[in-house]
Amino acid sequence: TIIEWENFQRQNDLKVQPERFGMRLFQSMQSSFMPVNEPNFDANYILDVGDVLSISIFDQDTKEYIKEIESDGNIFIPQVGKVYVAGFKLNDAIYEIKNQINQTLFRDSVISLESVRDIQILMTGEISFPGIYTFNGNTNLLHAISMAGGITENGSFREILIKRDGKIISEVDLYNALIFGDTSFRTSLRSGDSIYISIVKNLVRAGSGFNRPGLFEMKYGEKVSDLANFAGGLKSDFINSNNLLY
């Protein structure tokens, strides 16, 4: 009876071809990861032209300033002068500003991120809705792809190119994020960047013997062990019953 039931399950699974891994995740991200123009208080946020800082200097009367980073990368603080902060991580910029205020005015201060800049990104290649999109400065690669409708059926999840000034500055494998939870994208997006989704080259089906059946994208040189890793490993009942995987 058990063998007959397993055979029935196997035949039923063969009739239903699983969708490509990752497609449904981007559909759910449409609502849950929509970027909004609010400050990103992550200490690793990279400041650039257009970001706005709030500066409070404590004296007999507290002085408060709202300063936008100008085109030369500086902010101007009365009685302190220009402080260059473009390209600095948020925490490093706060340290630099506080240090210059203390050295010049001998006063304590509090600095925070008031609002973030807008950036324009070209979304192209195998993306559902290609075009130029306006995002905010704390938008990452997943946000941008989600807002452009996600990757098409013919698109690659593992060969996404970020280009700047006509040169490829980063090649991203989204399986690191979607499977292994690593969302620490090293390349921050800047206005004028383009994101190109390559065409998928090699799809392999993981069947019902895996914990996460589906169509997975494989790079040249990867092995069955890599596929098993992507598919969450083997089901315990398949390991114990000597079933053949298909």
Side-chain angles (χ1 to χ4, degrees), residues 57-163:
I57 301 175
F58 300 108
D59 201 343
Q60 292 179 347
D61 295 320
T62 300
K63 297 182 175 71
E64 296 184 355
Y65 304 99
I66 302 296
K67 292 294 180 179
E68 180 176 336
I69 301 176
E70 300 175 1
S71 58
D72 59 358
N74 289 285
I75 58 171
F76 178 79
I77 305 173
Q79 297 180 309
V80 176
K82 289 187 175 183
V83 183
Y84 189 85
V85 292
F88 282 52
K89 292 181 179 180
L90 178 58
N91 264 11
D92 293 337
I94 290 174
Y95 175 83
E96 180 67 19
I97 297 169
K98 287 173 69 71
N99 187 50
Q100 291 206 30
I101 291 173
N102 184 265
Q103 289 183 355
T104 306
L105 302 178
F106 305 102
R107 296 288 183 267
D108 291 329
S109 59
V110 171
I111 296 95
S112 61
L113 184 61
E114 179 73 15
S115 63
V116 296
R117 64 192 181 273
D118 286 336
I119 57 176
Q120 287 193 326
I121 305 294
L122 172 63
M123 306 294 297
T124 186
E126 295 300 318
I127 193 79
S128 295
F129 303 105
I132 298 176
Y133 287 79
T134 299
F135 301 117
N136 56 46
N138 62 354
T139 299
N140 65 29
L141 182 64
L142 283 177
H143 293 155
I145 294 175
S146 178
M147 290 300 97
I151 296 171
T152 69
E153 288 284 351
N154 294 325
S156 171
F157 282 79
R158 308 196 63 192
E159 188 179 333
I160 298 173
L161 308 179
I162 301 177
K163 299 182 180 182

Side-chain angles (χ1 to χ4, degrees), residues 18 175 202-207 214-219 224 227:
Y175 273 20
N202 190 29
L203 292 174
V204 178
R205 182 177 185 269
L215 284 172
F216 289 86
E217 184 177 350
M218 304 294 291
K219 292 184 176 180
V224 174
L227 175 63

Side-chain angles (χ1 to χ4, degrees), residues 6 24-26 42-43 55 83 85 103 105 115 152 163 170 175 179-180 195 218 224 236:
E6 289 176 343
R24 187 174 300 177
L25 291 175
F26 270 111
D42 184 351
I55 302 169
V83 183
V85 292
Q103 289 183 355
L105 302 178
S115 63
T152 69
K163 299 182 180 182
S170 181
Y175 273 20
I179 295 177
F180 304 113
I195 296 173
M218 304 294 291
V224 174
S236 58

Side-chain angles (χ1 to χ4, degrees), residues 6 10 236-245:
E6 289 176 343
R10 186 178 301 110
S236 58
D237 56 343
F238 272 70
I239 295 175
N240 298 329
S241 62
N242 296 318
N243 280 306
L244 295 176
L245 299 176

